[in-house]
């Protein structure tokens, strides 16, 4: 402990303040925003300012001071606290006073600012930690709570972040839904009282609501204008965001692990680190916030965020469980013919005592089903190698079917109530990842497969059940630790995989988009947004996820869902994400196949713009008739515009759509590509100024039609 910290801690403990500490200002700054914390005369820490950076930093002092930065339970505040500790003597209150702060450079170029607070009565400490970046307006904030008492304490509530706002009005956009209906956007004003977005599902935590939100300040959210906070929790488990408007119209936003059934006991000297709440304050509406998140995610957070992605052919919708070696070898050949980078073998390849011929059995027994794959996965990786495509494999390693050898041998590894009938979600149960032996087992599934078949280039890691029947044989008297320890156990496994197989790419899947958070994406290159691949629904689902996640993380596959819609329309929708196919080529017409092959070539050419460029959402599918999104390369030399007519009226009055993000002084050649016959349209030239001021007639009155335009700077 540094000297000034000791001195101050002693003074604080004695109930006095060092004069030097009062009014200490702690700026947490990004390139254009500032969160300024300040120590009050009482030694407590306050949020002095949160907004656009001021040119004259001495003026932060003049701003009306906000509330205490991290409000604790049991003191004078009447609303929702960020922290609630039950002390060993049963005192449920905590008071936090400033001790010290410091800033340290991190190896990835970010800066970590840590503000240490202590409870003078109990000696427990709380670090409020903020990570900022030199080139992107993102703050990550988390808290470390240390038990400085002589006996265990109980954490009742332990938020990652608390932020305060004082605006004339607040509008909250949430993203909720269900399986095959992920990220439905809806906005509502907040008035006095509390609104909570949370999950209690444990594993498939995001099934009903995604762990992110947009909070517009003063007015309803707009796409390219307006002030808003956009935030998300990096936690692959239960989350909670509480928005509470108080009697004075002030709003607090509390983000963290959902404290529901999750009281956590901290032994003497132990500490608890919360997950990161990741946020940006945008003065350019939803669009700017999205681009900020996309830039940050690619550069700092997602696994291989700056690297290319593999296009693929997946067999799930082409075969479901009904395949054998011959069929798969044929599909590997089809992957080659199509021109994708990889073949991905989905569910149904494993288990022998209870072969996985449906979702009712076999989960947990990770040996190849002998009569389906007599020559094992090795025959398939060999064939893939021969064809020059990569090989990927589906696993669901955290789960077990009761009808499996694993369940028969290791029921003690299963999360299940000892004295009640089991309830099954998709005929399965969750393994107890709080248990280190189970962590070893789950790591061993990947490690075993990689050791035996080093040519596996990719895993699709699925997770189809929430935690049900919640009871851990391992946690014993600490049952309320399970939701938290489960996620920590999962990260332990993923850390081991990342350390041993740093180049292994993985897709995060959870019965569709049931797991989509940025801590998870540290270990995964991409995620599966939804089992719903109807292209019209996908316009909405991808629109929702695009609010925080860049195109390269969103897997988008061409399938036979909604066959009434052309292959062109389906492919055009999928080209806005990480393109894949989940379809039998021999079910396609020669023209459709030709179209897809050409589209893959065009996608490969334009990937740097779509996957790594700036995204501008031009027309929302929620507007009813049409949708349009464009991507602009970072050097503004190329752009790709996608336009969809979903349900236009035949007599609709069509107007131009203004493009965005171009260089106004440059001239661009505009050409339609990927036309139905795989041809290209005529080239027309316009200035960037014209395209952004007057726009282009992107839409038609023809239902379910789509167009892609390529823009090339002259
Ligand atoms: C759910 C996934 O979302 C699907 O893509 C597929 O992998 C199935 N599970 C397999 O059981």
């Amino acid at each position: 402990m540094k000297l000034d910290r000791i001195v101050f801690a002693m003074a604080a403990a004695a109930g006095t303040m060092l004069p030097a500490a009062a009014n200490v200002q702690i700026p947490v700054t990004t390139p254009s925003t500032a969160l300024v914390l300040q120590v009050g005369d009482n030694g407590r820490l306050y949020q002095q300012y949160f907004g656009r950076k001021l040119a004259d930093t001495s003026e932060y002092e003049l701003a009306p001071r906000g509330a205490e930065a991290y409000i604790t339970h049991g003191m004078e505040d009447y609303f929702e606290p960020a922290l609630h500790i039950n002390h060993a003597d049963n005192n449920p209150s905590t008071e936090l006073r400033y001790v010290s702060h410091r800033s340290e450079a991190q190896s990835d170029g970010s800066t970590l600012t840590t503000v240490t607070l202590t409870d003078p009565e109990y000696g427990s400490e709380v670090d409020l930690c903020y990570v900022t970046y030199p080139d992107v307006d993102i703050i990550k904030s988390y808290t470390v709570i240390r038990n400085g008492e002589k006996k265990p304490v109980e954490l009742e509530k332990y938020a990652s972040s608390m932020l305060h706002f004082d605006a004339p009005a607040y509008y909250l956009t949430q993203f909720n839904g269900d399986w095959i209906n992920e990220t439905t956007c809806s906005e509502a004003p907040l008035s006095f009282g509390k609104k909570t977005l949370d999950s209690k599902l444990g594993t498939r935590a995001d099934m009903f609501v995604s762990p992110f939100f947009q909070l517009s300040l003063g007015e309803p959210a707009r796409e390219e204008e307006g002030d808003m906070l956009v935030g998300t929790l990096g936690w692959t488990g239960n989350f909670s965001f509480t928005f509470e408007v108080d009697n004075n119209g002030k709003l607090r936003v509390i983000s963290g692990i959902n404290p529901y059934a999750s009281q956590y006991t901290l032994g003497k000297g132990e500490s608890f680190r919360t997950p990161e709440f990741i946020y940006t304050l945008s003065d350019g509406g939803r669009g700017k916030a999205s681009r900020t998140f996309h830039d940050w995610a690619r550069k700092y957070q997602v696994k291989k965020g700056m690297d290319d992605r593999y296009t693929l052919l997946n067999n799930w919708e082409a075969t479901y469980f009904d395949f054998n070696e011959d069929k798969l070898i044929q599909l590997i050949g089809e992957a080659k013919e199509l021109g994708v980078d990889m073949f991905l073998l989905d569910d149904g390849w494993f288990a022998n005592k209870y072969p996985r011929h449906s979702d009712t059995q076999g989960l947990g027994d990770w040996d190849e089903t002998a009569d389906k794959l007599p020559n094992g996965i090795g025959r398939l990786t060999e064939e893939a190698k021969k064809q020059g495509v990569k090989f990927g494999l589906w696993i669901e390693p955290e789960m077990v079917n009761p009808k499996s050898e694993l369940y028969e041998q290791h029921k003690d590894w299963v999360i299940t109530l000892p004295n009640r009938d089991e309830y099954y979600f998709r005929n399965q149960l969750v393994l107890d990842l709080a248990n280190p032996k189970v962590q070893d087992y789950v790591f061993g599934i990947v490690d075993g497969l990689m050791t035996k078949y080093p040519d596996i280039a990719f895993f699709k890691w699925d997770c189809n059940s929430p935690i049900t029947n919640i009871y851990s044989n391992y946690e014993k008297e600490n049952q309320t630790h399970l939701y938290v320890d489960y996620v920590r156990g999962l990260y332990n496994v993923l850390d081991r995989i990342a350390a041993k197989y740093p180049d292994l790419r993985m897709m995060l899947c959870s019965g569709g988009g049931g797991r989509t958070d940025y801590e998870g994406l540290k270990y995964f290159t991409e995620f599966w947004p939804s089992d719903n691949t109807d292209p019209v629904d996908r316009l909405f689902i991808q629109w929702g996820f695009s609010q925080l996640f860049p195109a390269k993380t969103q897997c988008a596959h061409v399938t036979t869902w909604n066959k009434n819609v052309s292959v062109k329309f389906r492919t055009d929708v999928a080209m806005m994400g990480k393109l894949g196919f989940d379809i039998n080529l021999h079910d396609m017409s020669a023209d459709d196949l030709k179209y897809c092959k050409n589209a893959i070539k065009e996608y490969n050419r334009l990937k740097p713009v779509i996957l790594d460029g700036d995204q501008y959402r031009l027309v929302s599918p929620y507007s009813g008739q049409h949708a349009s999104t464009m991507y602009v390369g970072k050097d503004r030399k190329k752009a790709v515009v996608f336009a969809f007519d979903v349900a236009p009226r035949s007599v609709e009055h069509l107007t131009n759509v203004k493009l965005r993000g171009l260089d106004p002084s440059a001239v661009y050649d505009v050409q339609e590509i990927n036309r139905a016959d795989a041809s290209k349209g005529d080239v027309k030239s316009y200035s960037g100024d014209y395209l952004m001021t007057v726009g282009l007639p992107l839409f038609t009155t023809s239902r379910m039609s789509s167009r892609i335009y390529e823009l090339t700077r002259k």
Side-chain angles (χ1 to χ4, degrees):
M1 204 187 238
K2 280 187 182 158
L3 187 62
D4 62 336
R5 241 169 92 174
I6 296 170
V7 171
F8 189 79
M10 285 164 56
T16 58
M17 276 290 309
L18 284 186
N23 296 318
V24 162
Q25 220 182 58
I26 308 161
V28 176
T29 57
T30 71
S32 47
T33 60
L35 170 68
V36 182
L37 306 169
Q38 186 151 358
V39 182
D41 292 338
N42 56 2
R44 298 211 199 158
L45 188 74
Y46 292 86
Q47 179 182 308
Q48 174 67 29
Y49 178 83
F50 184 32
R52 202 174 310 163
K53 254 182 182 171
L54 298 181
D56 179 352
T57 54
S58 69
E59 290 190 329
Y60 292 130
E61 189 73 39
L62 307 177
R65 177 169 292 179
E68 198 170 353
Y70 195 70
I71 295 178
T72 52
H73 168 77
M75 302 303 288
E76 61 289 327
D77 184 74
Y78 298 120
F79 296 89
E80 195 66 27
L83 181 72
H84 180 168
I85 303 178
N86 291 320
H87 300 280
D89 64 359
N90 294 323
N91 186 330
S93 70
T94 295
E95 183 189 350
L96 293 177
R97 296 204 198 162
Y98 170 86
V99 176
S100 66
H101 72 278
R102 60 187 180 280
S103 288
E104 300 150 79
Q106 307 289 289
S107 58
D108 63 355
S110 63
T111 301
L112 169 65
T113 301
T114 305
V115 187
T116 298
L117 311 171
T118 191
D119 185 332
E121 216 37 70
Y122 288 93
S124 285
E125 284 190 326
V126 171
D127 286 342
L128 301 183
C129 305
Y130 304 87
V131 179
T132 48
Y133 301 84
D135 52 353
V136 57
D137 286 321
I138 288 278
I139 301 179
K140 294 203 291 190
S141 90
Y142 62 92
T143 303
V144 180
I145 303 155
R146 280 185 295 279
N147 177 9
E149 297 183 40
K150 292 196 175 69
K151 289 190 178 157
V153 299
E154 191 185 51
L155 304 186
E156 188 84 37
K157 190 156 192 216
Y158 34 89
S160 298
S161 154
M162 180 175 224
L163 289 170
H164 302 279
F165 297 90
D166 190 6
Y170 312 98
Y171 293 84
L172 178 68
T173 302
Q174 64 186 56
F175 300 85
N176 62 275
D178 202 338
W179 176 66
I180 65 167
N181 184 22
E182 290 85 348
T183 62
T184 301
C185 318
S186 60
E187 184 179 52
L190 295 173
S191 53
F192 178 87
K194 258 189 292 191
K195 160 88 184 177
T196 295
L197 298 175
D198 71 356
S199 160
K200 301 181 178 75
L201 296 165
T203 35
R204 195 172 167 174
D206 316 348
M207 184 158 60
F208 301 136
V209 62
S210 294
F212 50 84
F213 64 84
Q214 295 163 326
L215 174 74
S216 187
L217 303 170
E219 55 174 357
R222 287 182 285 160
E223 186 59 33
E224 296 292 346
E225 294 90 22
D227 295 327
M228 64 163 56
L229 173 80
V230 177
T232 184
L233 192 74
W235 183 245
T236 317
N238 293 347
F239 60 86
S240 166
F241 303 115
T242 300
F243 306 85
E244 187 171 30
V245 180
D246 68 16
N247 51 323
N248 295 313
K250 295 185 180 175
L251 172 74
R252 62 185 63 183
V253 180
I254 304 170
S255 309
I257 290 176
N258 188 351
Y260 167 80
S262 295
Q263 294 87 352
Y264 209 95
T265 307
L266 266 194
K268 177 180 175 230
E270 285 180 350
S271 57
F272 185 100
R273 181 182 160 150
T274 70
E276 291 163 351
F277 175 59
I278 307 152
Y279 57 103
T280 186
L281 197 61
S282 165
D283 61 359
R286 293 181 160 130
K288 184 174 175 189
S290 298
R291 289 185 290 280
T292 299
F293 261 101
H294 297 175
D295 284 343
W296 164 80
R298 283 184 296 238
K299 186 160 177 195
Y300 294 105
Q301 190 75 9
V302 172
K303 168 127 187 168
K304 293 191 181 292
M306 300 298 271
D307 291 2
D308 196 9
R309 292 292 183 267
Y310 302 151
T311 54
L312 60 81
L313 177 67
N314 186 192
N315 73 309
W316 178 240
E317 292 196 24
T319 65
Y320 292 103
F321 293 97
D322 183 18
F323 58 79
N324 58 23
E325 186 179 273
D326 289 345
K327 174 84 194 164
L328 296 179
I329 286 178
Q330 182 195 328
L331 283 165
I332 292 172
E334 292 184 2
K336 165 79 177 170
E337 188 191 345
L338 197 56
V340 292
D341 301 319
M342 183 167 70
F343 172 72
L344 170 62
L345 171 57
D346 214 284
D347 195 356
W349 58 267
F350 50 88
N352 282 296
K353 182 170 179 188
Y354 304 105
R356 180 78 170 168
H357 54 58
S358 73
D359 64 17
T360 56
Q361 62 182 49
L363 210 49
D365 302 344
W366 296 102
D367 46 341
E368 297 97 320
T369 307
D371 57 358
K372 270 187 180 173
L373 298 176
N375 302 298
I377 294 292
R379 174 70 190 94
L380 304 176
T381 55
E382 185 189 284
E383 183 64 21
K385 211 172 194 172
K386 206 166 92 194
Q387 297 284 2
V389 293
K390 296 183 186 348
F391 183 85
L393 190 63
W394 179 96
I395 50 174
E396 192 177 2
E398 299 159 75
M399 303 280 160
V400 62
N401 282 131
K403 219 170 159 191
S404 68
E405 290 185 79
L406 179 67
Y407 183 90
E408 287 171 354
Q409 288 157 13
H410 277 296
K411 194 164 172 200
D412 55 324
W413 286 2
V414 179
I415 296 179
T416 187
L417 293 155
N419 52 356
R420 296 190 191 279
D421 289 344
E422 285 175 341
Y423 163 76
Y424 304 130
F425 189 101
R426 208 197 191 209
N427 311 303
Q428 64 195 60
L429 291 166
V430 182
L431 293 175
D432 184 1
L433 269 171
N435 183 343
K437 282 194 188 141
V438 179
Q439 294 168 21
D440 288 346
Y441 163 79
V442 173
F443 169 72
I445 295 168
V446 172
D447 193 33
L449 285 163
M450 288 302 290
T451 306
K452 211 162 161 197
Y453 307 118
D455 287 328
I456 295 175
F458 184 94
F459 282 105
K460 175 178 178 182
W461 180 302
D462 209 344
C463 163
N464 283 291
S465 175
I467 294 181
T468 55
N469 314 281
I470 182 132
Y471 181 87
S472 160
N473 201 45
Y474 174 77
E475 297 275 17
K476 303 271 186 255
E477 66 279 5
N478 282 329
Q479 291 300 322
T480 57
H481 290 199
L482 181 55
Y483 282 128
V484 172
D485 288 350
Y486 184 93
V487 182
R488 289 177 169 172
L490 174 66
Y491 292 153
N492 183 316
V493 172
L494 293 170
D495 277 329
R496 289 168 70 185
I497 295 172
K500 188 154 180 192
Y501 304 103
D503 290 326
L504 185 62
R505 289 151 183 259
M506 298 203 286
M507 180 201 292
L508 181 55
C509 173
S510 184
R515 256 185 181 175
T516 46
D517 74 281
Y518 268 122
E519 189 64 19
L521 283 170
K522 259 176 151 169
Y523 305 98
F524 292 86
T525 43
E526 55 220 73
F527 66 91
W528 182 234
S530 181
D531 280 350
N532 185 342
T533 49
D534 179 317
V536 175
D537 293 329
R538 271 294 181 129
L539 283 176
F540 290 84
I541 293 166
Q542 293 174 197
W543 184 269
F545 280 117
S546 80
Q547 306 295 323
L548 274 89
F549 298 97
K552 76 169 14 162
T553 60
Q554 281 204 53
C555 302
H557 295 181
V558 179
T559 72
T560 49
W561 278 52
N562 200 345
K563 276 193 195 153
N564 299 329
V565 174
S566 67
V567 154
K568 170 174 165 54
F569 191 101
R570 286 181 259 156
T571 309
D572 289 357
V573 172
M575 277 181 65
M576 292 195 296
K578 202 222 76 170
L579 178 64
F581 291 79
D582 208 331
I583 200 162
N584 271 312
L585 296 202
H586 54 260
D587 284 348
M588 292 167 103
S589 70
D591 283 348
D592 283 351
L593 186 56
K594 181 177 161 208
Y595 181 82
C596 290
K597 285 179 173 180
N598 179 63
I600 292 164
K601 283 198 190 113
E602 292 296 71
Y603 181 77
N604 284 336
R605 197 170 59 76
L606 297 170
K607 257 190 306 186
V609 179
I610 298 169
L611 301 186
D612 294 314
D614 290 329
Q615 182 192 59
Y616 293 86
R617 291 178 297 258
L618 303 178
V619 177
S620 166
Y622 288 88
S623 66
Q625 287 83 21
H626 311 276
S628 176
T629 295
M630 74 181 283
Y631 301 84
V632 184
K634 286 284 177 193
D635 56 8
R636 295 196 289 177
K637 285 187 180 156
K638 271 243 180 271
V640 185
V641 180
F642 293 84
F644 302 91
D645 305 304
V646 179
R649 292 189 59 201
S650 58
V651 291
E652 187 180 319
H653 170 61
L654 296 168
T655 52
N656 273 10
V657 177
K658 293 176 189 168
L659 306 192
R660 289 190 170 269
L662 302 171
D663 177 352
S665 60
V667 173
Y668 290 88
D669 282 345
V670 179
Q671 183 177 35
E672 188 185 347
I673 61 166
N674 279 27
R675 298 206 301 188
D677 59 0
S679 69
K680 296 188 180 191
D682 296 337
V683 177
K684 288 189 188 154
S685 300
Y686 308 86
S687 69
D689 183 32
Y690 177 92
L691 292 167
M692 294 193 290
T693 311
V694 181
L696 290 176
L698 293 184
F699 297 132
T700 74
T701 54
S702 166
R703 283 186 171 218
M704 298 301 170
S705 66
S706 59
R707 284 152 306 284
I708 303 179
Y709 298 96
E710 178 178 353
L711 276 65
T712 310
R713 189 159 79 186
K714 283 202 174 189

